[in-house]
Amino acid sequence: MCFHIKWIRSELLINLARQHPSTMSVLFLLLSFVVLSLAYQTRPCTDFIEHAFTVVDYAWPTDSAREDAIMDGTFIQTNNIISGVNVYKDSVFVTVPRWRLGVPSTLNKIVVKDGVSVLQPYPNWGYQTIGDCHALQFVQSVAIDPNTGLMWIIDTGRINFFAADGTPTQNICPPKIIIYDIDKDEEKDRYEFPDSVANRNRTFLNDIVIQYHGGKARYAYITDDFEGRLIVYDRKKSMSHFYSHPSMSRAMDNITISNETISVNDGINGIALSSDMAYIYYGRLSGFDLYQVPTKTARKPGKPRQFSESVRCVGSKPAHAAGMTYSKDHSLYFGGLDDNTVYKWDINKDKRRQRKSFKKVEMKTVETFIGDPACVTFVDILNFDEKKNLWFSANKLHKYFLGTMDFSGNSGSNVLIMKVPAGTKGYLSGIRKGKQKY
Ligand SMILES: *[C@@H]1O[C@H](CO)[C@@H](O)[C@H](O)[C@H]1NC(C)=O
Ligand SMILES: *[C@@H]1O[C@H](CO)[C@@H](O)[C@H](O)[C@H]1NC(C)=O
Ligand SMILES: *[C@@H]1O[C@H](CO)[C@@H](O)[C@H](O)[C@H]1NC(C)=O
């Protein structure tokens, strides 16, 4: 652990009271109490379930196409689990990583057919062909720019690297990034990573954030979980580079979730970008430390020493976390796997208390945003929409990897897509309308 700090599971009201001692604020406090009570105390977490899946299924063109896919093994239903979730306008996009065989479509949009949520391959079935390197092979995360409707899709290019049946990993295609215009339904850009940046036999592109610079979404920061790298893609120059640091390399840890323990061996995993575009935050799933590095150092290649010197451990997460996301109003949201919780670090609050800048602030006050084992088992990936809701997937992923997932329906849903009012938008929201120059 980078600091031996004792994190405080603070009471929301006490915090509010400390910050708003004036009379005006008493009203605010009461109002907040009412709103928050309505949202989180009187409402059960089940109120925030937007889509629920016991088994994941697709919008097949015909019934016989589905039967054929089951027969020839291109669809192995129990190998399909939703990981990523992103929202644009009224569309909910989800990824089904090809960790194992039998995943017919890795990037999808949720559609409801006869009252049942199913996955419609996105942009279409043609983009899902295994072995066609123009198409998508393995997508776990995408980033959507709410200002332009461009979706930045990272494709690892490899499949079946978490096989449970002894079948080998298939290193099919080079890793790549595709930028897709959702409104126009057309591809805008694509870039293949060279082996020197993302090795086609070893990489695992896990998560992505995008950075505005010069008024445009220019850089993508991508975590390579297996190689322990922070990969940087510069769209303007059509170039990429990477940085590595001991904080990013693979490590082993055990995580216990609702009495089941999973061993995890991973490197840099979840990533978030501050809404002022200044700092990248990242961490491992197999550890508690949360790190920060300035974008002004990371975005430029060839500065390994400066990069290493500017990596800072900001504190320890209260629990293991996979994904994380940063809000417009400077809070970092991440899962707490051991605790069946989504945590929120209000960075402004800690800044004020510590009288420190973003560059120096330490993570000391972490609040529970939502916590309930009934709905929040294995929070995987989180993202905001433009209506101030936090969306996340809770997918019981430990059970998928342990082989204990119950697909019969007797244990309830396996994947929940949750939508919880958060009172703030995502880090990229409205960025071009802002006064700051990026
Ligand atoms: C990837 O593996 C293949 C097959 O072993 C090998 O021929 C190729 O050189 C490897 N490429 C890299 C970049 O390691
Ligand atoms: C994880 O659990 C296994 C089995 O109990 C144990 O052998 C191993 O030392 C643990 N690893 C860590 C990093 O705690
Ligand atoms: C975990 O195990 C304890 C002790 O065996 C038991 O009381 C508890 O109900 C279990 N919790 C879950 C979520 O299974």
Side-chain angles (χ1 to χ4, degrees):
M1 270 190 229
C2 55
F3 298 123
H4 296 281
I5 55 160
K6 198 168 160 282
W7 67 276
I8 307 149
R9 196 192 293 253
S10 61
E11 293 301 322
L12 209 51
L13 282 175
I14 295 170
N15 282 324
L16 283 167
R18 275 193 200 133
Q19 276 170 58
H20 304 281
S22 72
T23 322
M24 271 303 285
S25 301
V26 171
L27 289 174
F28 173 78
L29 189 81
L30 286 172
L31 190 65
S32 306
F33 179 72
V34 172
V35 171
L36 290 165
S37 305
L38 282 175
Y40 308 118
Q41 283 162 29
T42 62
R43 289 178 69 180
C45 71
T46 46
D47 275 15
F48 306 112
I49 298 174
E50 201 61 17
H51 297 279
F53 303 82
T54 302
V55 285
V56 170
D57 212 331
Y58 296 82
W60 298 90
T62 61
D63 286 348
S64 66
R66 181 176 182 277
E67 281 155 31
D68 291 348
I70 291 171
M71 289 295 286
D72 68 16
T74 50
F75 183 33
I76 304 171
Q77 199 154 33
T78 55
N79 284 354
N80 287 253
I81 288 293
I82 292 169
S83 179
V85 55
N86 294 69
V87 175
Y88 178 67
K89 292 181 179 169
D90 291 323
S91 298
V92 182
F93 298 96
V94 294
T95 66
V96 183
R98 285 183 169 133
W99 291 312
R100 294 176 178 167
L101 299 178
V103 176
S105 174
T106 186
L107 179 61
N108 308 275
K109 186 167 139 174
I110 299 182
V111 293
V112 180
K113 284 203 164 174
D114 305 324
V116 180
S117 302
V118 294
L119 309 191
Q120 171 78 57
Y122 187 82
N124 51 53
W125 280 102
Y127 264 87
Q128 312 298 333
T129 311
I130 294 172
D132 170 4
C133 290
H134 190 82
L136 301 168
Q137 304 304 303
F138 176 107
V139 181
Q140 183 153 337
S141 298
V142 306
I144 297 175
D145 181 349
N147 309 304
T148 59
L150 296 190
M151 180 192 277
W152 298 44
I153 307 163
I154 41 171
D155 179 4
T156 292
R158 310 165 64 225
I159 67 166
N160 203 36
F161 47 79
F162 287 136
D165 57 2
T167 50
T169 299
Q170 297 175 26
N171 303 327
I172 303 171
C173 299
K176 63 177 177 282
I177 186 162
I178 291 178
I179 299 178
Y180 200 87
D181 187 326
I182 301 171
D183 292 317
K184 293 195 179 133
D185 196 19
E186 66 183 26
E187 190 178 308
K188 300 292 276 190
D189 228 341
R190 66 167 57 209
Y191 174 83
E192 206 172 89
F193 291 99
D195 278 314
S196 58
V197 172
N199 185 294
R200 61 182 292 162
N201 295 336
R202 294 196 296 262
T203 190
F204 172 14
L205 304 183
N206 187 295
D207 204 355
I208 172 173
V209 287
I210 50 190
Q211 186 204 341
Y212 269 70
H213 188 77
K216 282 195 170 151
R218 173 165 174 185
Y219 299 98
Y221 300 98
I222 300 154
T223 58
D224 184 338
D225 188 308
F226 285 174
E227 291 276 88
R229 292 178 175 180
L230 177 69
I231 293 175
V232 185
Y233 163 62
D234 180 343
R235 186 184 179 198
K236 190 175 173 190
K237 288 192 173 162
S238 197
M239 303 238 291
S240 62
H241 62 274
F242 76 91
Y243 284 109
S244 54
H245 182 267
S247 60
M248 299 174 190
S249 40
R250 286 177 90 164
M252 293 282 296
D253 207 358
N254 296 329
I255 309 177
T256 301
I257 303 160
S258 303
N259 287 350
E260 281 180 286
T261 301
I262 183 173
S263 280
V264 179
N265 177 13
D266 84 329
I268 180 172
N269 184 306
I271 189 167
L273 188 78
S274 62
S275 51
D276 59 5
M277 304 286 107
Y279 293 99
I280 297 159
Y281 291 89
Y282 65 88
R284 292 186 186 93
L285 169 57
S286 59
F288 297 100
D289 291 347
L290 177 72
Y291 297 90
Q292 180 202 62
V293 69
T295 53
K296 73 172 191 301
T297 314
R299 68 182 151 86
K300 293 186 202 122
K303 295 180 181 287
R305 212 176 110 195
Q306 199 185 328
F307 183 90
S308 285
E309 283 167 0
S310 60
V311 170
R312 182 174 75 93
C313 185
V314 299
S316 284
K317 294 171 282 182
H320 296 90
M324 54 174 107
T325 195
Y326 199 102
S327 66
K328 194 78 205 155
D329 66 357
H330 294 288
S331 285
L332 189 69
Y333 291 73
F334 49 88
L337 304 186
D338 324 59
D339 306 336
N340 299 306
T341 289
V342 174
Y343 285 111
K344 171 185 168 182
W345 174 31
D346 183 335
I347 305 181
N348 273 329
K349 189 180 288 181
D350 267 342
K351 266 183 76 211
R352 281 193 299 268
R353 284 187 183 168
Q354 298 164 24
R355 298 172 194 274
K356 283 180 177 163
S357 61
F358 284 114
K359 196 180 172 188
K360 297 259 172 74
V361 64
E362 293 172 19
M363 179 169 66
K364 293 202 169 166
T365 320
V366 178
E367 297 160 13
T368 297
F369 175 68
I370 183 172
D372 193 332
C375 316
V376 194
T377 309
F378 209 116
V379 174
D380 197 357
I381 294 185
L382 314 91
N383 280 296
F384 288 95
D385 66 12
E386 287 282 278
K387 295 172 185 158
K388 303 188 176 181
N389 298 299
L390 180 67
W391 292 70
F392 61 90
S393 52
N395 58 14
K396 298 185 178 172
L397 203 55
H398 57 300
K399 296 179 84 65
Y400 175 88
F401 288 115
L402 291 167
T404 58
M405 195 169 260
D406 180 358
F407 291 100
S408 72
N410 292 336
S411 314
S413 304
N414 289 316
V415 178
L416 297 178
I417 302 298
M418 304 285 290
K419 173 189 173 187
V420 187
T424 183
K425 300 179 188 180
Y427 71 108
L428 290 174
S429 183
I431 204 153
R432 293 200 297 184
K433 297 182 199 120
K435 286 199 181 101
Q436 300 104 314
K437 291 206 173 78
Y438 298 107

